[in-house]
């Protein structure tokens, strides 16, 4: 049985006992629009209510990426124009992230290729997270004057050691082995076997459960390499456990080797305000009771980021003028006023309905 419905940039298909959700903006690396968020939410509702669907598989069209994140140009335009799109997008995206984390059926995310920002939200909250040799996973938000959202402040503090702090502050991508080591993925499958994986899931009985999916994934999985984060876990722990960004940078300066030097160099190119905000959100996320608490805190910060000059400057430099040379204000960590961060921690009104 192959019943297919097209909802704009999302293709929804029932294949055997598998419900397939395919992000269909390959030229834009499947970056998410509000319409896509809504289409995915509808598909999840439909599949949850369909007794013939045993598993749900989410994947990206094209061979370059699963999902590069939210459509930040649209968020930029919404903020500049003071429209409701940005807030609506974040509210519905965060509700979707929570729905994925609590979904009633086995949810399989195929994070093949570029998986960043909102793509991590679509994948890493799922019950079964698959990466490939082509995966490049990152939360790159400090490079655009933003901060890791989509529940990253719940996920990243729970990564091995301080790997999540490294990922959040640097914004650098990691490959499959380190994504698994960080707890953001479960298994590595060769990209050429993904179609076989989907067909195998489609052939599973209607009563299949998570342990059955795990058996399929184990049968097709590869042994992941030990990536640079795993190789430098002790250094990362020493440098990134500190309570301030300045202390982290000082610790990195005291470490020998290219890894520490490169990490420090990259951090110094990021928005100082974003670095301070991100570290504070991560530390509060570590103490949070659940994902919902983190998502609500992130939403409050999102609403304030629309009033931040660095947000607009970062997106200008990255995707509008593409000069890759943002002029952050303030320029240095020393100039960031801690009191200026307080509005980012005002609870959203109304809170998310989760």
């Amino acid at each position: 049985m192959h019943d297919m419905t097209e909802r704009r940039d999302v293709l929804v298909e029932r294949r055997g006992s598998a419900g397939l959700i395919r992000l269909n903006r390959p030229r834009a690396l499947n970056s998410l629009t509000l319409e896509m968020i809504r289409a995915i939410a509808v598909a999840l509702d439909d599949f949850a209510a369909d007794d013939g669907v045993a598993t749900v598989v989410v994947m990206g069209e094209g061979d370059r990426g699963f999902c590069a994140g939210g459509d930040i140009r649209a968020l930029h335009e919404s903020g500049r124009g003071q429209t409701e799109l940005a807030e609506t997008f974040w509210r519905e995206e965060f509700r979707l992230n929570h729905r994925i984390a609590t979904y009633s059926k086995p949810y399989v995310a195929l994070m093949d290729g570029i998986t960043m920002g909102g793509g991590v939200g679509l994948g890493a909250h799922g019950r079964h997270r698959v990466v490939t040799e082509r995966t490049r996973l990152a939360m790159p938000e400090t490079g655009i004057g933003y901060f890791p959202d989509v529940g990253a402040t719940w996920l990243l503090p729970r990564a091995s050691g301080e790997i999540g702090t490294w990922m959040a502050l640097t914004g650098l991508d990691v490959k499959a082995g380190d994504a698994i080591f960080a707890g953001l993925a479960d298994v590595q499958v060769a990209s050429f076997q993904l179609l076989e994986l989907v067909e195998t899931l489609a052939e599973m009985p209607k009563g299949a459960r998570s342990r059955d999916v795990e058996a399929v994934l184990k049968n097709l999985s590869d042994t992941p390499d030990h990536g640079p984060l795993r190789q430098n876990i002790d250094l990362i722990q020493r440098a990134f456990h500190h309570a301030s960004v300045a202390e982290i940078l000082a610790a990195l300066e005291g470490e020998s080797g290219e890894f520490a030097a490169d990490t420090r160099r990259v951090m110094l190119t990021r928005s100082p305000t974003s670095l301070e905000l991100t570290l504070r959100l991560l530390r509060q996320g570590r103490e949070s009771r659940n994902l919902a608490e983190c998502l609500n805190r992130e939403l409050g910060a999102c609403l304030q980021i629309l009033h931040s000059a660095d947000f607009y400057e970062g997106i200008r430099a990255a995707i509008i003028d593409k000069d890759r040379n943002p002029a952050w204000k303030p320029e240095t960590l020393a100039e960031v006023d801690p009191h200026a961060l307080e509005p980012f921690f005002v609870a959203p009104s109304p809170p998310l309905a989760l």
Side-chain angles (χ1 to χ4, degrees), residues 1 118 138 198 273 276 279 354:
M1 179 180 180
V198 172
T273 301
E276 295 285 7
L279 184 61
L354 301 177

Side-chain angles (χ1 to χ4, degrees), residues 280-322:
R280 184 167 165 183
L281 285 167
L282 290 175
R283 296 305 189 240
Q284 291 197 18
R286 179 172 288 165
E287 301 303 319
S288 296
R289 295 166 295 177
N290 50 48
L291 171 61
E293 192 174 306
C294 289
L295 287 169
N296 267 294
R297 186 181 300 115
E298 290 172 10
L299 178 59
C302 285
L303 300 181
Q304 181 61 27
I305 208 77
L306 294 173
H307 303 287
S308 168
D310 276 5
F311 177 65
Y312 299 102
E313 174 62 10
I315 295 175
R316 178 206 65 77
I319 68 164
I320 297 176
D321 296 337
K322 299 182 180 180

Side-chain angles (χ1 to χ4, degrees), residues 18-147:
L20 304 186
I21 300 173
R22 292 153 50 202
L23 310 182
N24 191 34
R25 293 185 72 205
R27 291 185 179 179
L29 295 174
N30 298 316
S31 58
L32 296 168
T33 64
L34 178 59
E35 291 73 20
M36 292 172 72
I37 293 292
R38 289 174 172 172
I40 295 167
V42 169
L44 290 179
D45 287 343
D46 291 346
F47 289 145
D50 188 341
D51 291 338
V53 172
T55 62
V56 172
V57 181
V58 182
M59 57 198 298
E61 290 294 281
D63 58 5
R64 296 175 59 205
F66 170 60
C67 174
D71 187 340
I72 57 174
R73 183 186 293 270
L75 298 177
H76 178 279
E77 293 172 355
S78 174
R80 286 293 194 205
Q82 298 184 348
T83 72
E84 296 179 354
L85 174 68
E87 179 175 350
T88 301
F89 177 88
W90 284 319
R91 284 185 177 276
E92 297 195 25
E93 182 183 30
F94 293 2
R95 281 201 295 268
L96 179 62
N97 298 143
H98 191 268
R99 179 74 193 283
I100 290 168
T102 58
Y103 197 59
S104 59
K105 294 184 177 181
Y107 177 103
V108 184
L110 307 185
M111 297 185 285
D112 180 35
I114 292 173
T115 302
M116 297 184 178
V120 176
L122 284 184
H125 290 297
R127 203 176 307 174
H128 307 283
R129 293 90 49 90
V130 179
V131 286
T132 76
E133 78 285 353
R134 301 191 297 198
T135 297
R136 300 293 182 271
L137 186 149
M139 296 300 297
E141 288 80 6
T142 57
I144 59 166
Y146 190 45
F147 62 90

Side-chain angles (χ1 to χ4, degrees), residues 145-168:
Y146 190 45
F147 62 90
D149 61 348
V150 297
T153 62
W154 170 259
L155 293 170
L156 294 178
R158 286 156 183 81
S160 301
E162 293 289 347
I163 282 181
T165 311
W166 181 95
M167 291 184 66

